[in-house]
Amino acid sequence: MCLRLCLFLLFPIAISSVTTTDTDLPAFREAPAFRNGRECFKTVWSPEDRTHNPSIIHIAMTLDAIYLRGSVAGVFSVLQHASCPENVVFHFIATQRRSADLRRIISSTLPYLTFQIYHFDPNLVRSKISSSIRRALDQPLNYARIYLADLLSASVRRVIYFDSDLVVVDDVAKLWGIELGRHVVGAPEYCHANFTHYFTSRFWSSQGYKSALKGRKPCYFNTGVMVIDLGRWREGRYTVKLETWMRIQKRHRIYELGSLPPFLLVFAGDVEPVEHRWNQHGLGGDNLEGLCRNLHPGPVSLLHWSGKGKPWLRLDSRRPCPLDSLWAPYDLLRYSPLISDS
């Protein structure tokens, strides 16, 4: 598998133009097939399954035209490093508008992938979204992670949620296997956060609002990488709890950062800690300028370009940050040579 992958990555992609499909979506090269090792218990998943299968790893991601290149790279990275890639099932959340085109692209680029596409209705959240500091944070699909328990089959009891601007460089089974205990969500967390930066003065001037955080550790976590117990989520009606804060935000403007603050208000201080190696986030810089950043100290299992700067855009503009070179090997975008090979 390594030899096949190395040959695959040796093909030059420089001095070229992007190939697009007839729908103006990017076109991709077909990824190599990744097969299970002998230690893997081969299993097959179907959307009609009614029972939980512990041998299958479920991963959810959103899928849209703007972040499609990042999503494909993310999936490719997971499969490349997985010990049992045929046991990984992807659940893609997309709007109805281009789901047929997206399905065709995923099927042709990753023909051996087991996946399902779920239609997300933007009207479900449009009336609950208020503008934030960056337009990308205001898109309805950015809130789709709140509705995974409603969209996915009841037989899916646990899921990993990944953003579309990351690559995995370790076996995802290690992340899947963490024990959540009594917790609903597991994620790398940072427990010396200053929450005054996440909420407005109106929030802090209201005794009712700020009491929601009383007695809880000020632990920030990035919602782009989460392990979620969907069974506990459904039982605790956590979608309703998050929507409640979204409605309050719409009326009273208590925060500025899109879908993150509701998660902090509901889960902060009550998250199962995951090793920081599983979300080396912030590689896209801040939400305003997207400046280059370095890795956090310590080992790395997942690289996450959260923030304004995205590696594919910086690479295309020929103004990449040093760490963008770590994303490039997973880029399956098909290029057309500007000069004929002949």
Side-chain angles (χ1 to χ4, degrees):
M1 183 178 71
C2 179
L3 176 60
R4 179 173 56 213
L5 181 62
C6 292
L7 291 172
F8 176 79
L9 293 176
L10 280 174
F11 286 100
I13 61 172
I15 315 179
S16 55
S17 61
V18 175
T19 299
T20 59
T21 66
D22 55 3
T23 59
D24 293 327
L25 292 173
F28 299 92
R29 296 168 286 163
E30 181 179 320
F34 296 97
R35 300 302 186 189
N36 282 354
R38 292 182 178 179
E39 72 280 8
C40 302
F41 178 77
K42 182 64 183 296
T43 187
V44 178
W45 180 83
S46 166
E48 287 73 38
D49 288 349
R50 292 290 179 264
T51 57
H52 172 69
N53 187 333
S55 299
I56 295 176
I57 297 174
H58 295 278
I59 300 175
M61 298 177 74
T62 58
L63 207 59
D64 69 348
I66 296 175
Y67 283 86
L68 180 59
R69 190 169 165 189
S71 297
V72 170
V75 174
F76 183 38
S77 72
V78 169
L79 298 178
Q80 179 183 337
H81 297 285
S83 55
C84 301
E86 293 179 275
N87 291 4
V88 180
V89 175
F90 277 86
H91 303 267
F92 296 117
I93 316 300
T95 60
Q96 178 75 39
R97 180 171 170 264
R98 308 199 78 165
S99 61
D101 294 327
L102 294 169
R103 179 183 296 277
R104 175 176 49 77
I105 289 173
I106 294 297
S107 296
S108 61
T109 306
L110 300 149
Y112 307 100
L113 184 69
T114 302
F115 72 94
Q116 181 81 357
I117 293 183
Y118 305 80
H119 295 149
F120 179 72
D121 183 3
N123 293 322
L124 192 61
V125 294
R126 213 181 291 278
S127 64
K128 305 181 187 76
I129 296 175
S130 56
S131 61
S132 63
I133 61 174
R134 186 158 63 90
R135 186 176 179 183
L137 301 177
D138 303 337
Q139 301 307 307
L141 267 181
N142 191 42
Y143 292 81
R145 70 197 79 189
I146 294 173
Y147 298 91
L148 294 176
D150 301 321
L151 292 167
L152 275 57
S153 165
S155 66
V156 181
R157 301 280 303 179
R158 170 187 279 224
V159 71
I160 296 173
Y161 175 81
F162 280 155
D163 270 350
S164 297
D165 53 2
L166 57 78
V167 292
V168 176
V169 294
D170 201 347
D171 187 357
V172 75
K174 298 176 183 177
L175 178 61
W176 178 255
I178 69 164
E179 292 292 336
L180 290 179
R182 63 174 183 82
H183 297 104
V184 178
V185 172
E189 61 176 1
Y190 305 85
C191 290
H192 298 287
N194 185 350
F195 275 11
T196 58
H197 298 313
Y198 294 102
F199 303 99
T200 65
S201 57
R202 175 169 289 189
F203 174 88
W204 295 112
S205 64
S206 168
Q207 189 62 38
Y209 295 157
K210 67 181 183 182
S211 65
L213 297 173
K214 186 176 181 180
R216 293 160 60 183
K217 293 181 181 179
C219 296
Y220 159 86
F221 67 100
N222 179 282
T223 58
V225 177
M226 296 185 289
V227 182
I228 305 173
D229 185 326
L230 293 178
R232 289 181 181 272
W233 184 293
R234 293 170 181 128
E235 292 169 5
R237 295 172 54 82
Y238 283 94
T239 297
V240 174
K241 294 177 181 179
L242 290 162
E243 285 182 325
T244 298
W245 284 112
M246 290 170 64
R247 291 190 177 95
I248 293 173
Q249 158 71 358
K250 188 70 175 179
R251 294 194 305 268
H252 300 295
R253 192 74 181 180
I254 59 173
Y255 53 79
E256 305 285 353
L257 279 171
S259 62
L260 171 62
F263 274 88
L264 295 181
L265 287 165
V266 173
F267 292 110
D270 194 22
V271 168
E272 179 63 30
V274 174
E275 287 183 274
H276 289 176
R277 66 189 302 154
W278 282 105
N279 195 352
Q280 283 271 351
H281 66 285
L283 302 186
D286 59 25
N287 282 305
L288 298 175
E289 299 182 60
L291 301 177
C292 298
R293 287 187 176 175
N294 296 321
L295 287 174
H296 307 295
V300 179
S301 293
L302 184 149
L303 299 158
H304 187 187
W305 279 262
S306 57
K308 184 178 181 180
K310 302 306 172 189
W312 56 92
L313 297 178
R314 296 194 294 214
L315 288 165
D316 286 352
S317 70
R318 303 197 178 185
R319 291 181 296 177
C321 293
L323 292 177
D324 294 344
S325 63
L326 300 177
W327 181 89
Y330 304 100
D331 185 13
L332 293 177
L333 189 70
R334 179 185 296 158
Y335 288 83
S336 298
L338 296 178
I339 302 174
S340 172
D341 292 338
S342 60

